[in-house]
Amino acid sequence: MQGNETARPKPGLMQMLRPQNMGAAAHTAITWFKPPLEFASTIRFPHAPVSLGRMGPLEVRLANDKRDVKRAQKLRYKVFYKDGHAIADAAAMLAQRDKDAFDKICDHLMVIDHAAKPTLSGRQPVVGTYRLLQHETAMKHGGFYTENEFDLSGMIERHAGLRFLELGRSCVLPRYRNKRTVELLWQGIWAYVKQNRFDVMIGCASFEGTDPDRLALPLSFLHHHARAPEAWRACAHPSRYVEMNRMAKEAIDPKAALRALPPLIKGYLRLGAHIGDGAVIDHQFGTTDVLIVMPVAAIGAKYIEHFGGDAKAA
């Protein structure tokens, strides 16, 4: 996720994470929702596929029908369960799809490879996906699924005039996990944010593993260098709260900590994201989750230009 202006010097991640820069920004992936919910039985779709971005044979667009959603769910199952450490229940194993009630009220962003061999259904394969949940839809149906792990109520109340977009269920096939695919996903997200005028993006990002002591270095680094300012702070629920401050700030090797961060979290930080207070262990997926809070106004101009051409932050 680099800008187009290669001649311009690029600020280091540590510089972007300095408290004074975070304070200025304050002013201007994968969790699982376990409680059963009653949602509408239909999914919202555009009338026809609308491209949100393209790089060579790869195209990013929204799911256009239920078959598209099923293809995204199959991709998620492969990445999370077959290739990852998530534990599938009987229904997921039978369907070979990662699905839950939230799929019916979310938009699904998909990366399509037009150069790849078509599937048995005759469609080009889905190689990457994100699930997008709009603020008003979440409030109508009981809240964001991230609220199973983190208490977002205070943050949302403090910014009552802003619209939030939740990002979740991010995954990409292994052979497509490169700069091009990730940037294309972000072009799609940015186009969606612009079209729908969202002010803040939220969601969870995960470390592999459920032992926070083994993650002491990166968790402590995030606590000391990327913790959200008070205005944007949201905490893990007390019953699930895992302390991130596991090492003294002066004991942290920043370069080693950055190397230990998953690429997704590193990318969020480059874009200007803050990290919530406390982590959460997700035994279903075998991960340790942290909260991502990304005000649109905090995204650097070079990234806006890169993802959206002439796009401007609202």
Side-chain angles (χ1 to χ4, degrees):
M1 286 181 272
Q2 304 297 323
N4 282 329
E5 301 175 70
T6 54
R8 183 179 300 175
K10 301 176 182 178
L13 182 56
M14 291 299 299
Q15 180 182 355
M16 289 188 287
L17 297 180
R18 288 176 180 170
Q20 62 267 33
N21 293 334
M22 292 178 66
H27 286 291
T28 42
I30 307 170
T31 53
W32 184 269
F33 195 98
K34 300 173 179 64
L37 296 175
E38 294 298 328
F39 288 146
S41 60
T42 58
I43 306 174
R44 301 173 297 127
F45 297 111
H47 295 296
V50 177
S51 179
L52 298 177
R54 187 151 185 168
M55 291 185 183
L58 297 181
E59 178 189 19
V60 62
R61 66 170 176 82
L62 294 177
N64 190 55
D65 54 34
K66 291 182 179 180
R67 288 185 297 173
D68 274 351
V69 174
K70 287 182 178 179
R71 293 198 297 152
Q73 291 170 336
K74 287 181 178 179
L75 173 64
R76 284 162 24 189
Y77 185 88
K78 174 175 174 51
V79 173
F80 298 153
Y81 295 92
K82 287 187 175 180
D83 300 339
H85 302 288
I87 302 171
D89 58 19
M93 290 181 66
L94 182 63
Q96 295 286 289
R97 288 187 281 137
D98 167 52
K99 59 179 181 175
D100 65 16
F102 281 91
D103 284 326
K104 295 181 179 180
I105 62 169
C106 290
D107 284 326
H108 299 263
L109 198 68
M110 308 188 308
V111 174
I112 311 293
D113 185 356
H114 290 281
K117 180 181 178 181
T119 63
L120 293 176
S121 65
R123 295 192 174 195
Q124 299 304 124
V126 178
V127 302
T129 186
Y130 250 106
R131 191 168 73 175
L132 311 175
L133 179 56
Q134 297 193 14
H135 190 147
E136 292 77 12
T137 304
M139 296 303 101
K140 183 178 178 181
H141 294 287
F144 293 108
Y145 73 78
T146 303
E147 292 181 274
N148 184 51
E149 296 189 350
F150 294 90
D151 183 0
L152 306 179
S153 58
M155 178 180 63
I156 292 176
E157 288 173 4
R158 288 193 296 272
H159 302 282
L162 302 184
R163 299 181 66 234
F164 288 73
L165 172 68
E166 186 172 61
L167 311 179
R169 287 299 201 273
S170 167
C171 66
V172 176
L173 284 178
R175 63 174 291 218
Y176 292 89
R177 290 174 191 167
N178 52 46
K179 179 181 176 182
R180 168 181 280 194
T181 308
V182 171
E183 289 191 350
L184 190 58
L185 277 168
W186 272 103
Q187 282 188 18
I189 290 171
W190 181 247
Y192 188 91
V193 166
K194 275 186 58 189
Q195 291 172 7
N196 294 280
R197 297 182 178 275
F198 289 108
D199 303 293
V200 187
M201 289 176 271
I202 57 173
C204 288
S206 303
F207 291 89
E208 289 188 3
T210 58
D211 182 357
D213 288 332
R214 297 185 64 180
L215 300 169
L217 177 61
L219 289 177
S220 299
F221 173 83
L222 293 177
H223 172 82
H224 291 296
H225 294 285
R227 190 182 185 204
E230 190 64 39
W232 291 109
R233 194 168 300 166
C235 298
H237 289 301
S239 63
R240 307 193 67 181
Y241 187 99
V242 172
E243 180 61 63
M244 296 176 64
N245 184 15
R246 312 184 83 83
M247 294 175 60
K249 185 175 182 179
E250 56 271 16
I252 295 173
D253 178 347
K255 291 184 178 180
L258 287 171
R259 288 195 298 268
L261 290 178
L264 184 62
I265 294 179
K266 208 178 300 186
Y268 284 141
L269 293 180
R270 289 194 184 103
L271 288 172
H274 310 307
I275 304 296
D277 184 4
V280 171
I281 303 299
D282 187 342
H283 293 285
Q284 172 74 31
F285 280 91
T287 60
T288 300
D289 301 336
V290 296
L291 178 66
I292 302 294
V293 180
M294 189 172 1
V296 170
I299 300 176
K302 70 172 184 177
Y303 292 108
I304 292 174
E305 180 178 358
H306 188 57
F307 296 134
D310 60 354
K312 301 295 181 184

